[in-house]
Coordinates of all heavy atoms in Angstrom, one line a residue:
K107 N -40.5 -256.5 -81.9 CA -39.8 -257.0 -80.7 C -40.3 -258.3 -80.1 O -39.9 -258.6 -78.9 CB -39.7 -255.8 -79.7 CG -41.1 -255.4 -79.3 CD -41.0 -254.4 -78.2 CE -42.4 -254.0 -77.7 NZ -42.4 -253.0 -76.7
V109 N -40.2 -261.9 -79.4 CA -39.3 -263.0 -79.6 C -39.9 -264.2 -80.3 O -39.4 -264.7 -81.3 CB -38.6 -263.4 -78.3 CG1 -37.7 -264.6 -78.5 CG2 -37.8 -262.2 -77.7
S147 N -29.9 -254.9 -77.1 CA -30.5 -255.7 -76.0 C -29.4 -256.6 -75.4 O -28.5 -257.0 -76.1 CB -31.6 -256.6 -76.7 OG -31.9 -257.6 -75.8
C148 N -29.6 -256.9 -74.2 CA -28.7 -257.8 -73.5 C -28.8 -259.2 -74.1 O -28.0 -260.1 -73.7 CB -29.0 -257.8 -72.0 SG -30.6 -258.5 -71.6
T149 N -29.8 -259.4 -74.9 CA -29.9 -260.7 -75.6 C -28.6 -261.1 -76.4 O -28.4 -262.2 -76.7 CB -31.2 -260.8 -76.5 OG1 -31.4 -262.1 -76.8 CG2 -31.1 -260.0 -77.7
V150 N -27.8 -260.0 -76.8 CA -26.6 -260.3 -77.5 C -25.6 -261.1 -76.7 O -24.6 -261.6 -77.3 CB -26.0 -259.0 -78.1 CG1 -26.9 -258.3 -79.1 CG2 -25.5 -258.1 -77.0
S170 N -32.9 -266.3 -81.1 CA -34.1 -265.8 -81.7 C -33.8 -264.9 -82.9 O -32.7 -264.2 -82.9 CB -35.0 -265.1 -80.7 OG -34.4 -263.8 -80.4
Y172 N -35.3 -262.3 -83.6 CA -35.4 -260.9 -83.0 C -33.9 -260.5 -82.5 O -33.4 -259.5 -82.8 CB -36.4 -260.8 -81.8 CG -36.1 -259.7 -80.9 CD1 -36.5 -258.4 -81.2 CD2 -35.4 -259.9 -79.7 CE1 -36.2 -257.3 -80.4 CE2 -35.2 -258.8 -78.8 CZ -35.5 -257.5 -79.2 OH -35.3 -256.5 -78.4
G173 N -33.4 -261.4 -81.7 CA -32.0 -261.2 -81.1 C -31.0 -261.1 -82.2 O -30.1 -260.2 -82.1
Y199 N -30.1 -252.7 -73.6 CA -31.0 -252.7 -72.5 C -31.2 -254.0 -71.8 O -31.2 -255.1 -72.5 CB -32.5 -252.4 -73.0 CG -32.6 -251.2 -74.0 CD1 -33.7 -251.2 -74.9 CD2 -31.8 -250.1 -73.9 CE1 -33.9 -250.2 -75.8 CE2 -32.0 -249.1 -74.8 CZ -33.0 -249.1 -75.7 OH -33.2 -248.1 -76.6
F200 N -31.3 -254.0 -70.5 CA -31.7 -255.2 -69.8 C -33.3 -255.2 -69.9 O -33.8 -255.1 -71.0 CB -31.0 -255.3 -68.5 CG -29.6 -255.8 -68.6 CD1 -28.7 -255.0 -69.3 CD2 -29.2 -257.1 -68.3 CE1 -27.4 -255.5 -69.6 CE2 -27.9 -257.5 -68.6 CZ -27.0 -256.7 -69.2
N201 N -34.0 -255.4 -68.8 CA -35.5 -255.6 -69.0 C -36.2 -254.2 -68.6 O -36.4 -254.0 -67.4 CB -36.0 -256.7 -68.1 CG -35.6 -258.1 -68.7 OD1 -34.4 -258.3 -68.9 ND2 -36.5 -258.9 -68.9
P202 N -36.6 -253.5 -69.6 CA -37.3 -252.2 -69.3 C -38.7 -252.4 -68.7 O -39.4 -253.2 -69.2 CB -37.4 -251.5 -70.7 CG -36.5 -252.3 -71.6 CD -36.5 -253.7 -71.1
P219 N -50.0 -260.4 -73.5 CA -48.6 -259.9 -73.4 C -47.7 -261.1 -73.2 O -48.0 -262.2 -72.6 CB -48.6 -259.2 -72.0 CG -50.0 -258.9 -71.7 CD -50.9 -260.0 -72.4
N220 N -46.5 -261.0 -73.8 CA -45.4 -262.0 -73.6 C -44.6 -261.7 -72.4 O -44.0 -262.6 -71.8 CB -44.5 -262.0 -74.9 CG -45.2 -262.6 -76.1 OD1 -45.8 -263.7 -76.0 ND2 -45.2 -261.9 -77.2
N221 N -44.4 -260.4 -72.2 CA -43.4 -260.0 -71.1 C -44.1 -260.1 -69.7 O -45.3 -259.9 -69.6 CB -42.9 -258.6 -71.4 CG -42.1 -258.6 -72.7 OD1 -42.4 -257.9 -73.7 ND2 -41.0 -259.4 -72.7
L222 N -43.2 -260.2 -68.8 CA -43.7 -260.4 -67.4 C -44.5 -259.3 -66.8 O -45.7 -259.5 -66.4 CB -42.4 -260.7 -66.5 CG -42.8 -260.9 -65.0 CD1 -43.6 -262.2 -64.9 CD2 -41.5 -261.0 -64.2
I223 N -44.0 -258.1 -66.9 CA -44.7 -257.0 -66.2 C -46.1 -256.7 -66.7 O -47.1 -256.6 -66.0 CB -43.9 -255.7 -66.1 CG1 -42.5 -256.0 -65.5 CG2 -44.6 -254.6 -65.4 CD1 -42.5 -256.6 -64.1
P224 N -46.3 -256.6 -68.1 CA -47.7 -256.4 -68.6 C -48.6 -257.6 -68.2 O -49.8 -257.4 -67.9 CB -47.5 -256.3 -70.1 CG -46.1 -256.2 -70.4 CD -45.3 -256.5 -69.1
Y225 N -48.0 -258.8 -68.2 CA -48.9 -259.9 -67.8 C -49.3 -259.9 -66.3 O -50.5 -260.1 -65.9 CB -48.2 -261.3 -68.1 CG -49.2 -262.3 -68.4 CD1 -49.5 -262.8 -69.7 CD2 -50.0 -262.9 -67.4 CE1 -50.4 -263.7 -70.0 CE2 -51.0 -263.8 -67.7 CZ -51.2 -264.2 -69.0 OH -52.2 -265.2 -69.3
L237 N -51.3 -265.6 -63.7 CA -50.0 -265.5 -64.3 C -49.3 -266.9 -64.3 O -49.4 -267.6 -63.3 CB -49.1 -264.6 -63.4 CG -47.6 -264.6 -63.7 CD1 -47.3 -263.8 -65.0 CD2 -46.8 -264.0 -62.6
S238 N -48.7 -267.2 -65.4 CA -48.0 -268.5 -65.5 C -46.5 -268.1 -65.2 O -46.0 -267.3 -66.0 CB -48.1 -269.2 -66.8 OG -49.4 -269.5 -67.1
I239 N -45.9 -268.7 -64.2 CA -44.5 -268.5 -63.9 C -43.8 -269.6 -64.6 O -44.0 -270.8 -64.3 CB -44.2 -268.4 -62.4 CG1 -44.9 -267.2 -61.8 CG2 -42.7 -268.5 -62.2 CD1 -44.5 -266.9 -60.4
W240 N -43.0 -269.2 -65.6 CA -42.3 -270.2 -66.5 C -41.1 -270.8 -65.8 O -40.0 -270.4 -66.0 CB -41.9 -269.6 -67.8 CG -43.0 -268.9 -68.6 CD1 -43.0 -267.6 -69.0 CD2 -44.2 -269.5 -69.0 NE1 -44.2 -267.3 -69.7 CE2 -44.9 -268.4 -69.7 CE3 -44.9 -270.7 -68.9 CZ2 -46.2 -268.6 -70.2 CZ3 -46.1 -270.9 -69.4 CH2 -46.8 -269.9 -70.1
G241 N -41.3 -271.8 -64.9 CA -40.2 -272.6 -64.3 C -39.8 -272.1 -62.9 O -39.6 -270.9 -62.7
Y244 N -35.0 -273.4 -61.8 CA -33.7 -272.8 -62.2 C -32.7 -272.8 -61.1 O -33.2 -272.8 -59.9 CB -33.9 -271.4 -62.7 CG -34.5 -271.3 -64.1 CD1 -35.9 -271.0 -64.3 CD2 -33.8 -271.5 -65.2 CE1 -36.5 -270.8 -65.5 CE2 -34.4 -271.4 -66.5 CZ -35.7 -271.1 -66.6 OH -36.2 -270.9 -67.9
T250 N -36.8 -269.4 -59.6 CA -37.4 -268.7 -60.7 C -36.3 -267.9 -61.4 O -35.3 -267.5 -60.7 CB -38.6 -267.9 -60.4 OG1 -38.3 -266.8 -59.5 CG2 -39.7 -268.7 -59.8
A251 N -36.5 -267.6 -62.6 CA -35.4 -266.9 -63.4 C -35.2 -265.5 -62.9 O -36.1 -264.8 -62.5 CB -35.7 -266.9 -64.9
V252 N -33.9 -265.0 -63.1 CA -33.6 -263.7 -62.6 C -33.2 -262.7 -63.8 O -32.5 -263.1 -64.7 CB -32.3 -263.9 -61.6 CG1 -31.7 -262.5 -61.4 CG2 -32.7 -264.6 -60.4
R253 N -33.8 -261.5 -63.7 CA -33.5 -260.5 -64.7 C -33.2 -259.2 -64.0 O -33.5 -259.0 -62.8 CB -34.7 -260.3 -65.6 CG -35.1 -261.5 -66.4 CD -34.2 -261.8 -67.5 NE -34.7 -262.9 -68.4 CZ -34.4 -264.2 -68.1 NH1 -33.8 -264.5 -67.0 NH2 -34.9 -265.1 -68.9
Y255 N -34.4 -255.5 -64.0 CA -35.5 -254.7 -64.4 C -35.2 -253.2 -64.2 O -35.1 -252.7 -63.1 CB -36.8 -255.1 -63.6 CG -37.2 -256.5 -63.9 CD1 -36.8 -257.6 -63.1 CD2 -38.0 -256.8 -65.0 CE1 -37.1 -258.9 -63.4 CE2 -38.4 -258.1 -65.3 CZ -37.9 -259.2 -64.5 OH -38.3 -260.5 -64.8
V294 N -38.5 -263.9 -60.7 CA -39.9 -263.7 -61.1 C -40.7 -263.6 -59.9 O -41.6 -262.7 -59.8 CB -40.4 -264.8 -62.1 CG1 -41.8 -264.6 -62.4 CG2 -39.5 -264.9 -63.3
R317 N -40.1 -271.8 -70.1 CA -40.4 -271.3 -71.5 C -39.2 -271.5 -72.4 O -38.1 -271.2 -72.0 CB -40.8 -269.8 -71.4 CG -41.1 -269.2 -72.8 CD -41.7 -267.8 -72.6 NE -40.7 -266.8 -72.2 CZ -40.9 -265.5 -72.0 NH1 -42.1 -265.0 -72.2 NH2 -39.9 -264.7 -71.6
D320 N -35.6 -269.4 -72.8 CA -35.3 -268.5 -71.7 C -34.0 -268.8 -71.0 O -33.6 -270.0 -70.9 CB -36.4 -268.6 -70.5 CG -37.6 -267.7 -70.8 OD1 -37.5 -266.9 -71.7 OD2 -38.6 -267.8 -70.1
I321 N -33.3 -267.8 -70.6 CA -32.0 -268.1 -69.9 C -32.3 -268.0 -68.4 O -33.4 -267.6 -68.0 CB -30.9 -267.0 -70.3 CG1 -31.5 -265.6 -70.0 CG2 -30.5 -267.2 -71.7 CD1 -30.4 -264.6 -70.2
T322 N -31.3 -268.5 -67.6 CA -31.5 -268.5 -66.1 C -31.4 -267.1 -65.5 O -32.2 -266.7 -64.7 CB -30.4 -269.5 -65.5 OG1 -30.6 -270.7 -66.1 CG2 -30.6 -269.6 -64.0
A324 N -29.7 -263.0 -65.8 CA -29.0 -261.9 -66.5 C -29.1 -260.6 -65.7 O -30.3 -260.2 -65.4 CB -29.5 -261.7 -67.9
Ligands
UFG19 N1 -42.1 -264.8 -67.4 C1 -43.1 -265.6 -66.7 N2 -44.4 -265.5 -67.1 C2 -44.8 -264.7 -68.1 C3 -43.8 -263.8 -68.7 C4 -42.5 -263.9 -68.3 O1 -42.7 -266.3 -65.8 O2 -46.0 -264.6 -68.4 C5 -40.7 -264.9 -66.9 C6 -39.8 -265.3 -68.1 O3 -39.8 -266.7 -68.1 C7 -38.5 -264.6 -67.7 C8 -38.9 -263.4 -66.9 O4 -40.3 -263.6 -66.6 O5 -37.8 -265.5 -66.8 C9 -38.8 -262.1 -67.8 O6 -39.5 -262.4 -69.1 P1 -39.8 -261.3 -70.1 O7 -40.5 -262.0 -71.3 O8 -40.5 -260.1 -69.5 O9 -38.4 -260.8 -70.6 P2 -37.2 -261.7 -71.2 O10 -36.0 -261.5 -70.2 O11 -37.5 -263.0 -71.6 O12 -36.9 -260.9 -72.5 C10 -36.4 -259.6 -72.5 C11 -37.0 -258.8 -73.7 C12 -36.5 -259.3 -75.0 C13 -35.0 -259.5 -75.0 C14 -34.6 -260.3 -73.8 C15 -33.1 -260.3 -73.6 O13 -38.4 -258.8 -73.7 O14 -36.8 -258.4 -76.0 O15 -35.1 -259.7 -72.6 O16 -32.7 -261.2 -72.7 F1 -34.6 -260.1 -76.1

Side-chain angles (χ1 to χ4, degrees):
K107 60 174 183 180
V109 173
S147 163
C148 64
T149 195
V150 298
S170 77
Y172 160 78
Y199 312 151
F200 281 67
N201 289 51
N220 287 309
N221 293 120
L222 179 62
I223 304 303
Y225 209 105
L237 168 74
S238 297
I239 294 186
W240 306 123
Y244 284 103
T250 63
V252 167
R253 298 287 185 276
Y255 295 93
V294 178
R317 182 171 68 178
D320 273 354
I321 56 171
T322 304

